[in-house]
């Protein structure tokens, strides 16, 4: 039996936990929250520490010390899972849902993430020092949830 069907998120080993991440990098996009509704909006601007070619963090081990709003997802409170994209395995399992058919744990290859259009690589850009993050509203991706 696949481990994600028999264990809760908190019961998983670190290796199991990490293998659930499909590498989409959506969680590395800057986000905005509507204060009235609590709705989350993703933008096309990605954290400066992201390598957009590999969609991996360039400073993974020290990420939360360098970027103040970068979150170690293992420490994320259950009430905060709505900040994750709807395709994210952690959110899906937390909500009692199945992994999608393109997930690397099912397909045995990360190519399936790209083919399914889940990776941010084709539409995101990395934040630069010239970006004014006060203007993030201009970069909201309405279709991404
Ligand atoms: S959104 Fe979820 S699956 Fe995608 S990179 Fe972030 S943690 Fe991994
Ligand atoms: S520090 Fe790394 S993991 Fe955190 S948001 Fe930035 S690129 Fe993503």
């Amino acid at each position: 039996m696949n481990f994600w069907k028999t264990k809760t998120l908190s019961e998983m080993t670190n290796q199991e936990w990490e293998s659930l991440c499909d590498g989409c990098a959506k969680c590395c996009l800057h986000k905005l929250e509507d204060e009235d509704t609590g709705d989350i909006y993703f933008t096309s601007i990605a954290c400066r520490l992201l390598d957009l070619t590999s969609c991996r963090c360039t400073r993974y081990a020290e990420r939360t010390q360098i970027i103040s709003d970068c979150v170690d997802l293992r420490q994320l409170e259950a009430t905060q899972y709505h900040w994750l994209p709807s395709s994210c395995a952690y959110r899906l399992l937390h909500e009692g849902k199945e992994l999608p058919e393109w997930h690397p744990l099912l397909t045995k290859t990360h190519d399936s993430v790209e083919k399914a259009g889940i990776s941010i690589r084709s539409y995101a850009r990395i934040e630069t020092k010239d970006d004014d993050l006060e203007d993030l509203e201009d970069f909201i991706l309405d279709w991404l949830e």
Side-chain angles (χ1 to χ4, degrees):
M1 181 73 88
N2 294 323
F3 71 87
W4 62 90
K5 290 180 181 281
T6 59
K7 292 185 175 184
T8 65
L9 286 168
S10 59
E11 288 170 343
M12 292 176 190
T13 65
N14 278 342
Q15 190 181 10
E16 289 167 342
W17 172 275
E18 293 294 333
S19 71
L20 282 171
C21 176
D22 60 45
C24 70
K26 288 177 187 168
C27 59
C28 301
L29 293 172
H30 286 293
K31 295 170 272 304
L32 293 169
E33 180 174 22
D34 185 316
E35 287 180 3
D36 297 326
T37 64
D39 291 343
I40 304 298
Y41 295 94
F42 289 86
T43 75
S44 58
I45 311 297
C47 171
R48 64 185 173 85
L49 291 191
L50 186 72
D51 175 350
L52 200 50
T53 304
S54 63
C55 276
R56 295 287 172 187
C57 181
T58 54
R59 305 288 292 277
Y60 190 70
E62 0 147 62
R63 63 196 186 286
T64 56
Q65 281 107 60
I66 302 171
I67 301 293
S68 60
D69 57 357
C70 178
V71 176
D72 177 350
L73 295 184
R74 281 218 95 160
Q75 311 301 326
L76 195 64
E77 299 283 338
T79 54
Q80 298 298 309
Y81 271 77
H82 68 290
W83 272 91
L84 293 169
S86 57
S87 62
C88 177
Y90 303 116
R91 177 170 168 179
L92 289 169
L93 295 182
H94 173 69
E95 294 175 348
K97 296 175 180 166
E98 300 285 334
L99 292 185
E101 60 187 14
W102 48 261
H103 194 280
L105 283 174
L106 299 173
T107 62
K108 312 295 183 202
T109 170
H110 272 85
D111 293 349
S112 54
V113 180
E114 196 69 32
K115 283 187 187 145
I118 303 302
S119 159
I120 69 168
R121 194 174 296 130
S122 64
Y123 57 80
R125 75 163 172 83
I126 301 295
E127 165 195 347
T128 70
K129 60 180 178 350
D130 296 327
D131 279 322
D132 182 353
L133 296 184
E134 297 294 313
D135 294 334
L136 275 178
E137 279 186 27
D138 296 342
F139 298 94
I140 285 176
L141 301 170
D142 286 331
W143 49 269
L144 184 59
E145 53 179 28

